[in-house]
Amino acid sequence: MDTRDRLIESTRELLWERGYVGTSPKAIQQHAGAGQGSMYHHFAGKPELALAAVERTAEALRTQADAELSGPGKASERIAAYLHREREILRGCQIGRLTQDPEVMGSPELRRPVEETFDWLRNRLAEVITEGQADGEFTGLDPAATAATVVATLQGGYVLARASGASEGFERAVEGVLNLLVRRP
Amino acid sequence: MDTRDRLIESTRELLWERGYVGTSPKAIQQHAGAGQGSMYHHFAGKPELALAAVERTAEALRTQADAELSGPGKASERIAAYLHREREILRGCQIGRLTQDPEVMGSPELRRPVEETFDWLRNRLAEVITEGQADGEFTGLDPAATAATVVATLQGGYVLARASGASEGFERAVEGVLNLLVRRP
């Protein structure tokens, strides 16, 4: 990795761990093993570097979710594969946690990739639910509302897990939404 | 309100708005109109004051949820009343947002009321779901898993709303989980 890449990857790690407010330029430089001059050679400041980091994280998240949701199997199996993917549950969601950061939410530039990621995910899940309905699954459900519930369950599952310091709450919430999705009316 | 109360109420507001890391003792004093000496007369420091604030918030949250979940009507109607309560959606959950605060999660004392609030809420919702099952509602669902999904949907709904700066995502997720709960297998 070159210095620019190391700065972006360090910022991704620190944003995940400490959020935007808790991540100082100095901490990024130390984590990346880069000097102050080097950081400001590549980026105008912390906001520009954070934007590059958030965009890279959002891209990785979409690529992985799309692979699971576009994989083989029935719609319900693809949603289950997405929900059951191995995750660092106690670290929470790299994108979702940014919504608790007043400085990120107060910046239209930094909020944009967060909003776009959730919009993309909700639309993709609604498409998969609509595909399932064509095959007789998810009878009587509204695809957009159900997709929002699935995304919210994941995000809230992280909250439950972090509150207790254990993954059980996340796993229970995912189990519950899958049961709700597949029971037949 | 006396000074001690004003300090606690100011801390509740600032924790909701800016989180623990973003709330300085000076900001609390300014918000409460109290001097530094007065704050340290009542509280040993920010952690002790934050604990008093979080415990008061947790108590208020439990009291309100219990009133809705113990009200009149079928179990599904009581859960709907709880989910549809008027909320400051874009401000997020006062308790849930603390799970994104590394210093809160790193302190067993501060994390305890957060964990207890979610445990209480999940147990109370599981009881209501079990009562509904005795009346023929929620057929085939596991009460504990379903309760975790309902709590997670609320918490994740706040994340969706904050990501887009609009309450639509929260409302859609709540609509989706209620549809999932009441459709009959």
Side-chain angles (χ1 to χ4, degrees), chain B residues 66-124:
Chain B
D66 200 37
E68 290 148 355
L69 293 172
S70 305
K74 292 198 299 181
S76 58
E77 291 164 355
R78 287 181 274 147
I79 293 173
Y82 167 65
L83 291 173
H84 284 147
R85 174 214 309 166
E86 184 99 9
R87 286 178 164 85
E88 296 190 66
I89 294 170
L90 291 182
R91 296 189 75 186
C93 174
Q94 296 178 76
I95 295 292
R97 72 113 59 232
L98 297 169
T99 61
Q100 300 307 323
D101 233 315
E103 291 188 25
V104 174
M105 292 299 99
S107 154
E109 292 75 27
L110 283 171
R111 186 163 65 73
R112 184 184 47 73
V114 177
E115 179 173 12
E116 286 176 357
T117 301
F118 284 119
D119 284 351
W120 177 87
L121 188 53
R122 287 170 61 182
N123 286 330
R124 187 71 194 93

Side-chain angles (χ1 to χ4, degrees), chain B:
Chain B
M1 281 201 289
D2 62 17
T3 306
R4 190 175 180 281
D5 251 357
R6 284 208 315 280
L7 285 163
I8 293 175
E9 290 301 318
S10 294
T11 305
R12 291 178 69 188
E13 282 295 314
L14 291 166
L15 287 178
W16 196 2
E17 194 62 34
R18 306 206 46 88
Y20 185 84
V21 175
T23 298
S24 66
K26 189 161 201 75
I28 295 170
Q29 292 153 25
Q30 284 175 344
H31 193 285
Q36 179 171 329
S38 171
M39 174 174 149
Y40 289 102
H41 168 72
H42 290 288
F43 298 97
K46 176 174 143 181
E48 189 181 312
L49 177 47
L51 180 61
V54 174
E55 283 179 337
R56 191 178 283 187
T57 296
E59 175 63 26
L61 208 141
R62 278 199 301 272
T63 302
Q64 185 163 16
D66 200 37
E68 290 148 355
L69 293 172
S70 305
K74 292 198 299 181
S76 58
E77 291 164 355
R78 287 181 274 147
I79 293 173
Y82 167 65
L83 291 173
H84 284 147
R85 174 214 309 166
E86 184 99 9
R87 286 178 164 85
E88 296 190 66
I89 294 170
L90 291 182
R91 296 189 75 186
C93 174
Q94 296 178 76
I95 295 292
R97 72 113 59 232
L98 297 169
T99 61
Q100 300 307 323
D101 233 315
E103 291 188 25
V104 174
M105 292 299 99
S107 154
E109 292 75 27
L110 283 171
R111 186 163 65 73
R112 184 184 47 73
V114 177
E115 179 173 12
E116 286 176 357
T117 301
F118 284 119
D119 284 351
W120 177 87
L121 188 53
R122 287 170 61 182
N123 286 330
R124 187 71 194 93
L125 276 163
E127 287 172 2
V128 174
I129 290 165
T130 303
E131 289 165 31
Q133 290 184 324
D135 289 338
E137 297 193 286
F138 313 129
T139 316
L141 297 176
D142 176 66
T146 310
T149 302
V150 171
V151 177
T153 299
L154 270 187
Q155 292 297 317
Y158 285 121
V159 172
L160 293 182
R162 287 179 64 88
S164 62
S167 58
E168 180 268 343
F170 180 96
E171 288 154 3
R172 218 42 103 76
V174 162
E175 177 197 337
V177 81
L178 280 172
N179 288 346
L180 285 163
L181 283 169
V182 300
R183 70 173 179 154
R184 306 201 66 87

Side-chain angles (χ1 to χ4, degrees), chain A residues 121-133:
Chain A
L121 188 53
R122 287 169 62 184
N123 286 331
R124 188 71 195 94
L125 276 163
E127 286 170 2
V128 174
I129 290 165
T130 303
E131 289 165 30
Q133 290 184 326

Side-chain angles (χ1 to χ4, degrees), chain A residues 57-107:
Chain A
T57 296
E59 174 63 26
L61 209 139
R62 278 199 301 274
T63 302
Q64 184 162 20
D66 199 37
E68 290 148 355
L69 292 172
S70 305
K74 293 197 298 180
S76 58
E77 290 164 355
R78 287 180 274 147
I79 294 174
Y82 168 66
L83 290 172
H84 283 146
R85 173 214 309 165
E86 183 98 12
R87 286 178 163 85
E88 296 190 66
I89 294 171
L90 291 181
R91 296 188 77 185
C93 174
Q94 294 177 77
I95 295 292
R97 73 110 61 229
L98 297 169
T99 63
Q100 300 306 321
D101 232 315
E103 294 188 26
V104 174
M105 293 298 99
S107 155

